Amino acid sequence: MKIILFFIIYLISFVISYDDVVPLGYESHNDSLVIKYNVNENYYTNISFLWNGKSRYDMSFNCVLNNTIRTCTLPVKESDHAQMYSESIIACTENNGTFQMCGYEVPLVFFPSPLLISEFRPKTRGGNTTLSGYYLELQERLIVHFENPYRNDQFRWVDGFYIISDVFESKTPDRINIKLDIYPGCGNRTIIWENRERFNFTYQDPNIEKIDINQSTLDITGTNYYNQSIFVSVKIDNNIIDPSDIISVDFENIKLKFNYSDPFSSKLNVQVGCCDYWSNKFQITYPPIPSSVNSIPKLKGGLLIINGDRLTSSPSSSNNNNISVTVGDSNCSIVSSSSNEIKCNLQPLSNPKLNNSPLIIVSINGIVNTNELLLNYDIPYITTFSQVNDEIRIIGGCFGNINSTQIQINGKQILNQIKSINNDETILILNVQNQNYNFNISMESNSIKSNEINVDVKMYTRINEIPSVGNKLINFTLFYVNSININSIPTIKILNEQSNQTIKSILTNVNESVVSCSFLIENNCGIINYEIEIGNQRYQSSFSYESPLINKCNLNSNEIVTCIGKAFGNSYNETSIIISNQSIALIKGINNSSYESISFQMNEEYNILGELYLNVCGLSSNKVIINTIPIFKNISIPNLFDKNGGYIIIIGKYLNNNNTNITIECNGEEILEKECKLNNRGTSLECDIKLNGPNDKTCKLLFNYNKNNSNNIVSTFNLIYKSPSINQTSIINLKQGGILTIIGNDFYYPIDKVTIIGDNGNGSGDNLNCDEPKYINDTMITCFIQATNYTFNNIKNGEMIFINVSTNGKSGTSKVFKYLTQSDDSRQYSDARNIFQNLLLSILIIIIISLLFISNI
């Protein structure tokens, strides 16, 4: 390995002699050239530009050593640039300040590169292109080497150099500019200078100047395209088209397939790319194409219908509604638009002598039609006709008025054939004779004749009167019957039936082209779809039997509802009763053959469902409310009444706000129905009765009360009020006496008597009255116990005994009074005092809460 390494070093030293100059790097500036060397290498000190072997211009380097790098700078003045050219360059060299030699021939491979002073961008067509810069002709060049990165380019494998096309003349050389003969291309290229430094440049970007739109192709004219299609792309609205659609490419023209088929007007941006360098965006327009327009009366204006192509904007457009139509100087108000039609309203002309043929301009998102379309006023035209029974409507425009417009039928003018013309002059109604069932029609208005259309009048039928339910004989009249069919027997087919049975007329009468006929039809109700045929003429339509009508619905004592009216049908599969979308079963035992009444068994829930109506063969009647009579069962009183009253529950059937007028009379005082609340099934009424106690009351319940009729009373019941209840009392020592406080419920004013019962409930012994009873409120009373030495037999001191309160004939007894007679029992007094204090605290809390509640009412 050491022998091989030594051999390589020997070869290098042999190739590069001791006198050669091998720099480390270069810098080219407008005012200097800089060369860097290793510290021990030879370097230039002076250079001379030779011409014909003689020095013609000399320049010197300034060298500076910085550690191991020597930097030598050649100052260049502005005037030097014009002199820095030669056939060859020689130099004097040194090494670490020691002169080496003069006359050293300087190769450009060891010298700084040219400095370009302007952009170098050849055309894609190639050819002579000026390269501008300094130091281009330090030595005379014949070629410039380059690289091409595009492997598929047809010029990829050429010589690899550009020829300098100018002849170098010593007398008048251009020191700054040289012309290179550039090969055609696009994208990037690289020039390689003699010292192997590289200069990258690009060909000029493609530029679109014009696009011609043909039916299915685009011709794109511009500059700097490339003639190799593999490197050419076209984008339309940022979508790259299929390369197979490119028909041909050249440096100034690209032709491609493009068939715009969208039904809306649009602006599209087109770009050409060559070697992925893109051109400017060039906008092409596919404008609206209005091709035809109807005529309208000049003095009335009217609806313009513009037909054509691309008469709307793209659904994705942000200005989708920006559509306008201008007729001359007038705006036409848009009604609707589609891809092939715009409808707009145009006002009448203020001066009818002007604008006989104004120009129509359609603008969609700023895109205006380029073709010319004129509006011609007052030109009558017919588009079609329609038939509604015997009425023939001619549809078109500019029909004029009934007095001046003339009608021609089969080429002959016919008088008195116009029944009416609407104000817009777009519908003309004809009076057509029955014998005219196929004819050609045209008209003349404003001395201008319209086009002609064929009118083929179809046979139609009319039912003479609405048949009643159950009527089998139905009479028809047939109009516009052809003469070849006039003697044929009419037949009818009922299309509701799957059998498709054909029925012949039993009675026929003929009057010119009008035929009257009668049929026996078994379907007796509902809507009948039919087809009548006479000869080779057919007509399909429908007629309806009369709809059911309910006059009233009543509930009898057997709870059967009977509805009275007409057209009710006569079978259970024809008629149904509907209450709030629920079907109700009929009573099959009741005869409905009269078609005027119908019955069903009443159910409690029907009363709350809502209005009732009938459906007879698919026809609905009017809606009614069932006239029900409330039925009373009993009265429930869940709780005893208190001082302010209570509530009762009236139980029955068919109770509702329409039929139930409740009155409750208690001891001559009436309670109105508004105090009662109906439940959701109509089976009970909950009535609040606000009558003060405590006296029990006997009441009467009345429905639909009438003072002159005593039979309104349906029930008598008693209101029982609660008796007083005693919860606790204060503690009093009988030897001392004092005020006794009693807490409880349902106390009434006035308090009749308070008694302390000493027999402990066994009926023997004495009682002690508590005097001066006072009513405080519903829950508290007081009384006074006189001091006494009286004692109860068989009752121990401190034992609980009974106390009784009587008020307004009601009394309540409770074992809550503590019997105390021993004056020296301090512990009992202490207990009594504590209990009494707690009692007073409880009373105080109750009073405070009551006051707060009253203040919030």
Side-chain angles (χ1 to χ4, degrees):
M1 179 63 70
K2 291 182 180 180
I3 295 173
I4 296 173
L5 183 60
F6 176 79
F7 181 71
I8 292 173
I9 295 172
Y10 173 78
L11 288 177
I12 293 174
S13 65
F14 180 79
V15 173
I16 302 175
S17 68
Y18 178 76
D19 294 330
D20 282 343
V21 178
V22 183
L24 288 176
Y26 317 95
E27 293 179 11
S28 298
H29 303 284
N30 181 31
D31 57 355
S32 65
L33 292 175
V34 179
I35 304 176
K36 295 182 179 181
Y37 309 87
N38 279 326
V39 64
N40 294 321
E41 295 290 338
N42 296 338
Y43 53 90
Y44 306 129
T45 57
N46 301 289
I47 60 172
S48 296
F49 296 92
L50 303 183
W51 190 260
N52 293 329
K54 297 180 181 180
S55 175
R56 52 166 300 279
Y57 198 71
D58 299 324
M59 301 180 73
S60 299
F61 282 91
N62 298 322
C63 295
V64 176
L65 180 62
N66 183 9
N67 293 328
T68 60
I69 302 298
R70 190 183 310 277
T71 302
C72 294
T73 302
L74 181 69
V76 180
K77 299 188 294 295
E78 189 65 30
S79 60
D80 292 333
H81 289 297
Q83 301 299 327
M84 296 175 70
Y85 68 94
S86 70
E87 291 179 324
S88 64
I89 304 172
I90 62 173
C92 294
T93 63
E94 292 183 359
N95 188 299
N96 281 328
T98 302
F99 173 78
Q100 294 294 311
M101 64 176 294
C102 281
Y104 177 80
E105 187 170 350
V106 178
L108 291 182
V109 69
F110 293 135
F111 209 76
S113 306
L115 175 66
L116 301 187
I117 60 175
S118 64
E119 185 179 48
F120 181 67
R121 298 201 67 185
K123 295 180 179 179
T124 57
R125 183 181 285 276
N128 289 337
T129 306
T130 299
L131 184 67
S132 298
Y134 300 132
Y135 323 123
L136 290 170
E137 293 288 355
L138 295 178
Q139 286 184 4
E140 182 180 11
R141 282 188 175 90
L142 298 178
I143 61 173
V144 174
H145 292 274
F146 77 95
E147 285 183 350
N148 183 349
Y150 301 99
R151 299 180 60 85
N152 295 321
D153 189 356
Q154 68 184 32
F155 298 105
R156 174 81 162 83
W157 307 111
V158 294
D159 298 331
F161 55 82
Y162 298 130
I163 296 175
I164 299 176
S165 57
D166 285 350
V167 177
F168 190 87
E169 297 179 359
S170 61
K171 293 182 180 179
T172 59
D174 187 348
R175 323 295 180 211
I176 306 301
N177 302 296
I178 61 174
K179 290 185 178 179
L180 300 181
D181 188 4
I182 303 295
Y183 293 109
C186 62
N188 301 319
R189 297 291 188 275
T190 301
I191 290 176
I192 303 173
W193 302 115
E194 290 81 357
N195 62 5
R196 307 310 295 170
E197 289 190 340
R198 306 165 73 86
F199 167 67
N200 296 321
F201 70 90
T202 59
Y203 285 87
Q204 293 184 28
D205 292 337
N207 180 65
I208 302 175
E209 296 176 350
K210 182 180 69 169
I211 297 179
D212 293 323
I213 302 173
N214 299 310
Q215 186 171 3
S216 59
T217 61
L218 294 180
D219 283 337
I220 307 174
T221 302
T223 58
N224 291 306
Y225 306 151
Y226 198 25
N227 66 346
Q228 297 182 46
S229 60
I230 191 173
F231 296 108
V232 176
S233 301
V234 177
K235 283 196 298 189
I236 298 179
D237 266 11
N238 290 323
N239 296 314
I240 296 179
I241 68 167
D242 191 331
S244 64
D245 289 335
I246 297 178
I247 300 171
S248 62
V249 294
D250 200 351
F251 295 106
E252 284 83 29
N253 182 266
I254 297 174
K255 188 173 184 178
L256 58 96
K257 299 176 186 177
F258 185 70
N259 186 13
Y260 183 83
S261 59
D262 288 339
F264 40 78
S265 297
S266 182
K267 293 179 181 180
L268 304 177
N269 289 319
V270 179
Q271 281 184 284
V272 171
C274 296
C275 298
D276 292 328
Y277 283 81
W278 291 95
S279 71
N280 56 313
K281 289 184 178 180
F282 193 94
Q283 194 172 76
I284 59 174
T285 300
Y286 287 89
I289 307 175
S291 56
S292 65
V293 63
N294 62 306
S295 181
I296 60 173
K298 183 185 296 185
L299 297 179
K300 295 181 179 179
L303 183 68
L304 281 189
I305 303 176
I306 302 171
N307 296 108
D309 297 305
R310 300 199 292 262
L311 298 182
T312 189
S313 60
S314 168
S316 61
S317 172
S318 59
N319 298 320
N320 197 34
N321 295 322
N322 192 7
I323 301 174
S324 65
V325 174
T326 303
V327 181
D329 297 329
S330 302
N331 292 324
C332 194
S333 178
I334 301 295
V335 175
S336 64
S337 69
S338 64
S339 60
N340 53 18
E341 182 182 85
I342 293 178
K343 291 182 179 180
C344 61
N345 282 317
L346 186 64
Q347 296 299 315
L349 290 179
S350 58
N351 185 354
K353 296 182 180 180
L354 301 176
N355 297 325
N356 288 326
S357 299
L359 183 66
I360 295 176
I361 301 296
V362 177
S363 175
I364 299 177
N365 293 336
I367 308 173
V368 178
N369 60 296
T370 56
N371 65 314
E372 182 179 278
L373 179 65
L374 301 177
L375 171 62
N376 295 311
Y377 285 104
D378 298 317
I379 306 296
Y381 63 93
I382 302 174
T383 56
T384 186
F385 78 96
S386 66
Q387 178 180 352
V388 180
N389 296 333
D390 62 339
E391 185 177 273
I392 305 301
R393 297 187 175 194
I394 306 300
I395 300 170
C398 299
F399 289 162
N401 60 73
I402 193 170
N403 296 320
S404 62
T405 299
Q406 300 175 357
I407 293 295
Q408 291 184 341
I409 293 180
N410 295 330
K412 295 181 180 181
Q413 182 174 334
I414 306 297
L415 300 177
N416 301 321
Q417 288 289 296
I418 301 176
K419 185 177 180 180
S420 65
I421 297 175
N422 69 342
N423 187 59
D424 295 334
E425 302 183 21
T426 57
I427 298 176
L428 183 151
I429 300 177
L430 286 177
N431 288 317
V432 180
Q433 301 299 325
N434 286 325
Q435 62 271 21
N436 290 331
Y437 47 81
N438 187 289
F439 54 88
N440 294 324
I441 185 171
S442 63
M443 68 179 62
E444 185 175 310
S445 176
N446 302 313
S447 301
I448 302 174
K449 188 175 180 180
S450 75
N451 58 311
E452 184 178 75
I453 67 167
N454 178 259
V455 175
D456 186 14
V457 181
K458 305 297 182 183
M459 180 188 75
Y460 80 94
T461 67
R462 179 189 299 160
I463 191 168
N464 294 351
E465 61 181 353
I466 298 175
S468 58
V469 172
N471 185 11
K472 296 183 179 181
L473 185 63
I474 311 298
N475 300 315
F476 292 89
T477 301
L478 283 56
F479 297 89
Y480 300 114
V481 179
N482 294 346
S483 57
I484 60 173
N485 300 322
I486 202 73
N487 293 318
S488 301
I489 297 177
T491 61
I492 190 169
K493 183 184 293 184
I494 305 304
L495 303 180
N496 304 55
E497 300 175 348
Q498 295 181 356
S499 62
N500 287 329
Q501 180 183 2
T502 299
I503 304 169
K504 290 185 179 181
S505 172
I506 62 173
L507 182 65
T508 304
N509 184 33
V510 177
N511 182 12
E512 294 184 347
S513 64
V514 179
V515 176
S516 299
C517 53
S518 301
F519 301 94
L520 286 174
I521 299 175
E522 292 298 328
N523 300 70
N524 304 125
C525 61
I527 298 174
I528 306 300
N529 297 313
Y530 68 89
E531 179 184 80
I532 285 184
E533 181 177 352
I534 182 169
N536 61 4
Q537 290 179 280
R538 290 184 178 86
Y539 179 79
Q540 286 189 1
S541 186
S542 64
F543 70 88
S544 174
Y545 284 88
E546 62 180 335
S547 297
L549 175 66
I550 303 175
N551 295 329
K552 61 180 178 178
C553 291
N554 294 325
L555 175 71
N556 64 18
S557 58
N558 295 322
E559 297 190 52
I560 292 177
V561 175
T562 300
C563 295
I564 306 299
K566 65 176 182 177
F568 286 173
N570 65 349
S571 64
Y572 299 108
N573 57 357
E574 291 176 353
T575 304
S576 59
I577 300 172
I578 310 298
I579 301 179
S580 295
N581 297 322
Q582 295 190 31
S583 182
I584 309 303
L586 298 175
I587 297 178
K588 295 186 178 181
I590 295 179
N591 184 9
N592 296 318
S593 59
S594 65
Y595 314 126
E596 296 180 351
S597 70
I598 198 167
S599 301
F600 63 93
Q601 182 68 49
M602 188 60 176
N603 188 303
E604 292 181 12
E605 67 178 82
Y606 299 166
N607 190 45
I608 62 166
L609 291 179
E611 295 177 314
L612 172 148
Y613 69 94
L614 298 184
N615 183 294
V616 179
C617 300
L619 299 178
S620 298
S621 73
N622 55 314
K623 295 182 178 181
V624 299
I625 298 294
I626 301 173
N627 297 322
T628 57
I629 299 173
I631 297 176
F632 171 78
K633 290 184 176 181
N634 56 63
I635 291 178
S636 170
I637 304 177
N639 302 305
L640 295 175
F641 276 47
D642 58 23
K643 174 186 176 182
N644 298 318
Y647 70 95
I648 66 171
I649 297 176
I650 302 171
I651 300 172
K653 295 174 68 174
Y654 313 124
L655 307 176
N656 62 53
N657 293 325
N658 294 320
N659 68 4
T660 308
N661 181 11
I662 298 297
T663 301
I664 298 173
E665 183 182 284
C666 298
N667 293 356
E669 185 177 356
E670 293 182 3
I671 310 299
L672 300 180
E673 62 168 324
K674 64 181 180 180
E675 304 293 339
C676 298
K677 181 173 65 176
L678 181 69
N679 78 344
N680 61 354
R681 299 185 59 85
T683 58
S684 67
L685 288 167
E686 183 177 305
C687 302
D688 287 330
I689 300 178
K690 300 185 182 304
L691 291 177
N692 295 336
N695 296 328
D696 297 341
K697 296 176 176 61
T698 299
C699 300
K700 301 174 183 178
L701 173 65
L702 305 98
F703 280 174
N704 303 317
Y705 175 57
N706 184 342
K707 292 183 178 180
N708 298 322
N709 185 0
S710 60
N711 295 327
N712 293 134
I713 301 174
V714 296
S715 179
T716 300
F717 57 95
N718 293 321
L719 298 183
I720 308 300
Y721 284 80
K722 296 178 181 180
S723 297
S725 60
I726 305 169
N727 298 330
Q728 61 182 354
T729 67
S730 59
I731 296 176
I732 297 293
N733 191 298
L734 296 181
K735 291 184 178 294
Q736 295 179 344
I739 296 175
L740 179 67
T741 301
I742 303 171
I743 303 298
N745 296 99
D746 300 308
F747 296 142
Y748 302 97
Y749 180 83
I751 302 299
D752 296 332
K753 186 177 182 181
V754 178
T755 304
I756 299 171
I757 302 173
D759 60 5
N760 210 4
N762 56 16
S764 60
D766 297 327
N767 297 332
L768 180 66
N769 291 330
C770 188
D771 300 328
E772 302 177 14
K774 292 183 180 180
Y775 172 83
I776 306 300
N777 55 38
D778 296 351
T779 60
M780 181 188 301
I781 61 174
T782 63
C783 58
F784 182 74
I785 297 178
Q786 297 286 343
T788 180
N789 292 323
Y790 182 81
T791 59
F792 293 110
N793 296 326
N794 301 322
I795 297 177
K796 298 178 181 180
N797 187 58
E799 187 176 348
M800 302 299 291
I801 61 175
F802 288 93
I803 187 170
N804 175 271
V805 175
S806 297
T807 174
N808 281 283
K810 292 184 178 294
S811 66
T813 303
S814 183
K815 193 175 183 180
V816 295
F817 181 77
K818 193 169 188 177
Y819 175 62
L820 294 176
T821 60
Q822 296 180 8
S823 58
D824 59 345
D825 192 344
S826 59
R827 181 175 180 180
Q828 288 182 345
Y829 279 112
S830 176
D831 291 342
R833 187 164 50 249
N834 291 335
I835 293 173
F836 185 69
Q837 288 175 352
N838 292 335
L839 182 62
L840 289 179
L841 180 60
S842 300
I843 295 170
L844 181 61
I845 291 173
I846 292 172
I847 294 173
I848 292 173
I849 292 174
S850 300
L851 292 174
L852 289 175
F853 177 75
I854 293 171
S855 65
N856 289 328
I857 294 177

